[in-house]
Amino acid sequence: MNENIFAALFLSFLAGAATCIGGLLAFFVKKDNFKVLALGLGFSAGVMIYVSFMEILPQAQVSLTGVFGYNPAGWIVIASFFAGIVIASLIDTCLPQAHHLEGDALSPKNKLKHLGLFTALTLALHNFPEGLATFMAAMQSPALGVSIAIAVAVHNIPEGIAVALPIYHATGSRGKAFWYSALSGMAEPVGAIVGFFFLKALLHEAAFGVLFALIAGIMVYISLDELLPTAHEYGDPHKVIWGVVGGMMVMALSLQML
């Protein structure tokens, strides 16, 4: 039993650590290469939008349908999704704004830093239940746990990019870009540990369903309100769209591995 627990925790850790691979991109990008920044932000938006609508919301529907039935579950998913958007807006308002960071409300660097912090926080919220899911699957079936961990790791790589690029361009520090992306991924093993040992009695299908729908709303908000507008400021809108499409393609392929 203990061996299964440690193996499951290790898989959750590896899946979360994949954000570091995306964070390493900062070491290979020139600081003033705004074309890469715009393309990367568009790519990240594509990842987050696709995973929200094609994976997270369907999972929420399945979880809630088992408890409430299909039609009531659909209404709960809708309400939770838009509640997530409202929550994201409140988080966005509460995060340190540009003029609080460095004294210049109009500074592009401050906008990028705000974006990177907001993305890191949002992805950490997303990775928390994801880590718990990987852990529980590995406890039930090591083979299933490995499959899920690989798929999660693949789509955590572009999530790491979403954090690293704006932080790097805002601060000029590759180290900060890397560690912020790494920390957002470490929510996976934290989610596994906290969820299994402290929240196990509270985690049931209905709670998972509402949580997934909330996270989907948060991720769509940050994509539309933060990632895409910032990408358009730094690059050709047509290239940004191709970045979005590329992100969706990568996410679609990683989810197909499940």
Coordinates of all heavy atoms in Angstrom, one line a residue, residues 13-14 16-29 116-117 120 123 127 156-187:
F13 N 4.0 14.2 -9.2 CA 5.1 15.2 -9.2 C 5.7 15.3 -10.6 O 5.9 16.4 -11.1 CB 6.2 14.7 -8.2 CG 7.5 15.5 -8.3 CD1 7.6 16.8 -7.8 CD2 8.5 15.0 -9.1 CE1 8.7 17.5 -7.9 CE2 9.7 15.7 -9.2 CZ 9.8 17.0 -8.6
L14 N 5.9 14.2 -11.3 CA 6.4 14.2 -12.6 C 5.5 15.0 -13.6 O 6.0 15.8 -14.4 CB 6.7 12.8 -13.2 CG 7.9 12.0 -12.5 CD1 8.0 10.7 -13.2 CD2 9.2 12.8 -12.7
G16 N 3.4 17.3 -12.9 CA 3.4 18.8 -12.6 C 4.8 19.4 -13.0 O 4.8 20.5 -13.5
A17 N 5.8 18.6 -12.9 CA 7.2 19.2 -13.2 C 7.3 19.4 -14.7 O 8.3 20.1 -15.1 CB 8.2 18.2 -12.7
A18 N 6.4 18.9 -15.5 CA 6.5 19.2 -16.9 C 6.4 20.6 -17.3 O 6.8 21.1 -18.3 CB 5.5 18.3 -17.7
T19 N 5.8 21.4 -16.4 CA 5.7 22.9 -16.6 C 7.1 23.5 -16.7 O 7.3 24.5 -17.3 CB 4.9 23.6 -15.6 OG1 5.5 23.4 -14.3 CG2 3.4 23.1 -15.5
C20 N 8.1 22.8 -16.1 CA 9.4 23.3 -16.1 C 10.0 23.3 -17.5 O 10.9 24.1 -17.9 CB 10.3 22.5 -15.2 SG 9.9 22.5 -13.4
I21 N 9.6 22.3 -18.3 CA 10.0 22.2 -19.7 C 9.6 23.4 -20.4 O 10.4 24.0 -21.2 CB 9.5 20.9 -20.4 CG1 10.0 19.7 -19.6 CG2 9.9 20.9 -21.8 CD1 9.5 18.4 -20.1
G22 N 8.3 23.8 -20.2 CA 7.9 25.1 -20.9 C 8.6 26.3 -20.3 O 9.0 27.2 -21.1
G23 N 9.0 26.2 -19.0 CA 9.7 27.3 -18.4 C 11.1 27.5 -19.0 O 11.7 28.6 -19.0
L24 N 11.7 26.3 -19.4 CA 13.0 26.4 -20.0 C 13.1 27.1 -21.3 O 14.2 27.5 -21.7 CB 13.5 24.9 -20.2 CG 13.9 24.1 -19.0 CD1 14.2 22.7 -19.3 CD2 15.1 24.8 -18.3
L25 N 11.9 27.3 -21.9 CA 11.9 28.1 -23.2 C 12.5 29.5 -23.0 O 13.1 30.0 -23.9 CB 10.5 28.2 -23.7 CG 10.3 29.0 -25.0 CD1 10.9 28.2 -26.2 CD2 8.8 29.3 -25.3
A26 N 12.4 30.0 -21.8 CA 12.9 31.4 -21.5 C 14.4 31.4 -21.7 O 15.0 32.5 -22.0 CB 12.5 31.8 -20.1
F27 N 15.1 30.3 -21.6 CA 16.5 30.3 -21.7 C 17.0 30.4 -23.2 O 18.1 30.5 -23.5 CB 17.1 29.0 -21.1 CG 17.0 29.1 -19.6 CD1 15.9 28.6 -18.9 CD2 18.1 29.6 -18.8 CE1 15.9 28.6 -17.5 CE2 18.0 29.6 -17.4 CZ 16.9 29.1 -16.8
F28 N 16.0 30.2 -24.1 CA 16.4 30.1 -25.5 C 15.7 31.2 -26.3 O 15.8 31.3 -27.5 CB 16.0 28.8 -26.1 CG 16.6 27.6 -25.4 CD1 15.9 26.9 -24.4 CD2 17.9 27.2 -25.7 CE1 16.5 25.8 -23.8 CE2 18.5 26.1 -25.1 CZ 17.8 25.4 -24.1
V29 N 15.1 32.2 -25.6 CA 14.4 33.3 -26.3 C 15.1 34.6 -26.0 O 15.4 34.8 -24.8 CB 12.9 33.4 -25.8 CG1 12.3 34.6 -26.5 CG2 12.2 32.1 -26.2
G116 N 1.7 37.3 -16.1 CA 2.4 36.1 -15.7 C 2.0 35.6 -14.3 O 1.7 34.4 -14.1
L117 N 1.8 36.6 -13.4 CA 1.3 36.2 -12.0 C -0.1 35.6 -12.1 O -0.4 34.6 -11.4 CB 1.4 37.4 -11.1 CG 2.8 37.9 -10.7 CD1 2.6 39.2 -10.0 CD2 3.5 36.9 -9.9
A120 N 0.0 32.1 -13.6 CA 0.6 31.2 -12.7 C -0.5 30.8 -11.7 O -0.6 29.6 -11.3 CB 1.8 31.7 -12.0
L123 N -3.3 28.6 -13.4 CA -2.9 27.3 -13.7 C -2.6 26.4 -12.4 O -2.8 25.2 -12.5 CB -1.6 27.3 -14.6 CG -1.8 27.9 -16.0 CD1 -0.5 28.0 -16.7 CD2 -2.8 27.0 -16.7
N127 N -4.2 22.9 -11.8 CA -3.3 21.7 -11.6 C -3.6 21.0 -10.3 O -3.3 19.8 -10.1 CB -1.8 22.2 -11.6 CG -1.3 22.5 -13.0 OD1 -1.9 22.1 -14.0 ND2 -0.3 23.3 -13.1
N156 N 1.0 20.0 -19.9 CA 1.6 21.0 -18.9 C 2.7 21.8 -19.5 O 3.1 22.9 -19.0 CB 2.0 20.3 -17.6 CG 0.9 20.1 -16.6 OD1 -0.2 20.6 -16.8 ND2 1.2 19.4 -15.6
I157 N 3.4 21.3 -20.5 CA 4.5 22.0 -21.1 C 4.1 23.3 -21.7 O 4.7 24.3 -21.3 CB 5.2 21.1 -22.2 CG1 5.8 19.9 -21.6 CG2 6.2 21.9 -23.0 CD1 6.3 18.8 -22.6
P158 N 3.1 23.4 -22.5 CA 2.6 24.7 -23.0 C 2.1 25.6 -21.9 O 2.1 26.8 -22.0 CB 1.6 24.4 -24.1 CG 1.1 23.0 -23.8 CD 2.3 22.3 -23.2
E159 N 1.6 25.0 -20.8 CA 1.1 25.8 -19.7 C 2.3 26.5 -19.0 O 2.2 27.6 -18.6 CB 0.3 24.9 -18.7 CG -1.0 24.5 -19.2 CD -1.8 23.6 -18.3 OE1 -1.2 23.3 -17.2 OE2 -2.9 23.2 -18.6
G160 N 3.4 25.8 -19.0 CA 4.6 26.4 -18.5 C 5.1 27.6 -19.3 O 5.6 28.6 -18.8
I161 N 4.9 27.5 -20.6 CA 5.3 28.5 -21.5 C 4.4 29.8 -21.2 O 4.9 30.9 -21.3 CB 5.0 28.1 -23.0 CG1 6.0 27.0 -23.4 CG2 5.2 29.3 -24.0 CD1 5.8 26.4 -24.7
A162 N 3.1 29.5 -20.9 CA 2.2 30.6 -20.7 C 2.6 31.5 -19.5 O 2.4 32.7 -19.4 CB 0.8 30.1 -20.4
V163 N 3.3 30.8 -18.5 CA 3.8 31.6 -17.3 C 5.1 32.2 -17.6 O 5.4 33.4 -17.3 CB 3.9 30.6 -16.1 CG1 4.5 31.3 -14.9 CG2 2.5 30.1 -15.8
A164 N 6.0 31.4 -18.2 CA 7.4 31.8 -18.3 C 7.6 33.0 -19.2 O 8.4 34.0 -18.9 CB 8.3 30.7 -18.8
L165 N 7.0 33.0 -20.4 CA 7.3 34.1 -21.4 C 6.9 35.5 -20.9 O 7.8 36.4 -20.9 CB 6.5 33.8 -22.7 CG 7.2 32.8 -23.6 CD1 6.3 32.6 -24.9 CD2 8.6 33.1 -23.9
P166 N 5.7 35.7 -20.3 CA 5.5 37.1 -19.9 C 6.3 37.5 -18.7 O 6.8 38.7 -18.6 CB 4.0 37.1 -19.5 CG 3.6 35.7 -19.4 CD 4.5 34.9 -20.3
I167 N 6.6 36.5 -17.8 CA 7.5 36.9 -16.6 C 8.9 37.2 -17.1 O 9.5 38.2 -16.6 CB 7.5 35.7 -15.6 CG1 6.2 35.5 -14.9 CG2 8.7 35.8 -14.6 CD1 5.8 36.6 -14.0
Y168 N 9.4 36.5 -18.1 CA 10.7 36.7 -18.6 C 10.8 38.1 -19.2 O 11.8 38.9 -19.0 CB 11.1 35.6 -19.6 CG 12.4 35.9 -20.3 CD1 13.6 36.2 -19.6 CD2 12.5 35.9 -21.7 CE1 14.8 36.5 -20.3 CE2 13.7 36.2 -22.4 CZ 14.8 36.5 -21.7 OH 16.0 36.7 -22.3
H169 N 9.9 38.4 -20.1 CA 9.9 39.7 -20.8 C 9.6 40.9 -19.8 O 10.1 42.0 -20.1 CB 8.9 39.7 -21.9 CG 9.3 39.0 -23.1 ND1 10.1 39.6 -24.1 CD2 9.2 37.7 -23.5 CE1 10.4 38.7 -25.1 NE2 9.8 37.5 -24.7
A170 N 9.0 40.6 -18.7 CA 8.7 41.7 -17.8 C 9.9 41.9 -16.9 O 10.2 43.1 -16.6 CB 7.5 41.4 -16.9
T171 N 10.6 40.9 -16.5 CA 11.7 41.0 -15.5 C 13.1 40.9 -16.1 O 14.1 41.3 -15.5 CB 11.5 40.0 -14.4 OG1 11.7 38.7 -15.0 CG2 10.2 40.0 -13.7
G172 N 13.2 40.3 -17.3 CA 14.5 40.0 -17.9 C 15.2 38.9 -17.2 O 16.4 38.6 -17.5
S173 N 14.6 38.2 -16.2 CA 15.2 37.2 -15.5 C 14.7 35.8 -15.9 O 13.5 35.4 -15.8 CB 14.9 37.3 -14.0 OG 15.3 36.2 -13.3
R174 N 15.6 35.0 -16.5 CA 15.3 33.6 -16.9 C 15.0 32.8 -15.7 O 14.1 31.9 -15.8 CB 16.4 33.0 -17.8 CG 16.6 33.7 -19.1 CD 17.7 33.0 -19.9 NE 17.7 33.4 -21.3 CZ 18.4 34.5 -21.8 NH1 19.1 35.2 -20.9 NH2 18.3 34.8 -23.1
G175 N 15.7 33.0 -14.6 CA 15.5 32.3 -13.4 C 14.1 32.4 -12.9 O 13.4 31.5 -12.5
K176 N 13.6 33.7 -12.8 CA 12.3 33.9 -12.3 C 11.2 33.3 -13.2 O 10.3 32.7 -12.7 CB 12.0 35.5 -12.2 CG 12.7 36.1 -11.0 CD 12.4 37.6 -11.0 CE 13.1 38.3 -9.8 NZ 12.8 39.7 -9.7
A177 N 11.5 33.4 -14.5 CA 10.5 32.8 -15.5 C 10.4 31.3 -15.2 O 9.3 30.7 -15.2 CB 11.0 33.1 -16.9
F178 N 11.6 30.7 -15.0 CA 11.6 29.2 -14.8 C 10.9 28.8 -13.5 O 10.1 27.9 -13.5 CB 13.0 28.7 -14.8 CG 13.2 27.3 -14.5 CD1 12.9 26.3 -15.5 CD2 13.5 26.8 -13.2 CE1 13.0 25.0 -15.2 CE2 13.6 25.5 -12.9 CZ 13.4 24.6 -13.9
W179 N 11.2 29.5 -12.4 CA 10.7 29.1 -11.1 C 9.2 29.4 -11.0 O 8.5 28.6 -10.3 CB 11.5 29.8 -10.0 CG 12.9 29.2 -9.9 CD1 14.1 29.8 -10.1 CD2 13.1 27.8 -9.5 NE1 15.1 28.9 -9.9 CE2 14.5 27.7 -9.5 CE3 12.3 26.7 -9.1 CZ2 15.2 26.5 -9.2 CZ3 13.0 25.5 -8.8 CH2 14.3 25.4 -8.8
Y180 N 8.7 30.5 -11.6 CA 7.3 30.7 -11.6 C 6.5 29.6 -12.3 O 5.5 29.1 -11.9 CB 6.9 32.1 -12.2 CG 7.0 33.2 -11.2 CD1 8.0 34.2 -11.2 CD2 6.0 33.3 -10.2 CE1 8.0 35.3 -10.3 CE2 6.0 34.4 -9.3 CZ 7.0 35.3 -9.3 OH 7.0 36.4 -8.4
S181 N 7.1 29.2 -13.4 CA 6.4 28.1 -14.2 C 6.5 26.8 -13.4 O 5.5 26.0 -13.4 CB 7.0 28.0 -15.6 OG 8.4 27.6 -15.5
A182 N 7.6 26.6 -12.8 CA 7.8 25.4 -12.0 C 6.8 25.4 -10.8 O 6.2 24.3 -10.5 CB 9.2 25.3 -11.5
L183 N 6.7 26.5 -10.1 CA 5.8 26.6 -9.0 C 4.3 26.3 -9.3 O 3.6 25.7 -8.6 CB 5.9 27.9 -8.3 CG 7.2 28.1 -7.5 CD1 7.3 29.6 -7.0 CD2 7.2 27.2 -6.3
S184 N 3.9 26.8 -10.5 CA 2.5 26.6 -11.0 C 2.3 25.1 -11.2 O 1.2 24.6 -10.9 CB 2.2 27.3 -12.2 OG 2.9 26.8 -13.3
G185 N 3.3 24.4 -11.6 CA 3.2 22.9 -11.8 C 3.2 22.1 -10.5 O 2.6 21.0 -10.4
M186 N 3.9 22.7 -9.5 CA 4.0 21.9 -8.2 C 2.6 21.9 -7.5 O 2.5 21.2 -6.5 CB 5.0 22.6 -7.3 CG 6.4 22.3 -7.8 SD 6.8 20.5 -8.0 CE 6.6 20.3 -9.7
A187 N 1.6 22.6 -8.0 CA 0.3 22.4 -7.4 C -0.2 21.0 -7.7 O -1.2 20.6 -6.9 CB -0.7 23.4 -8.1

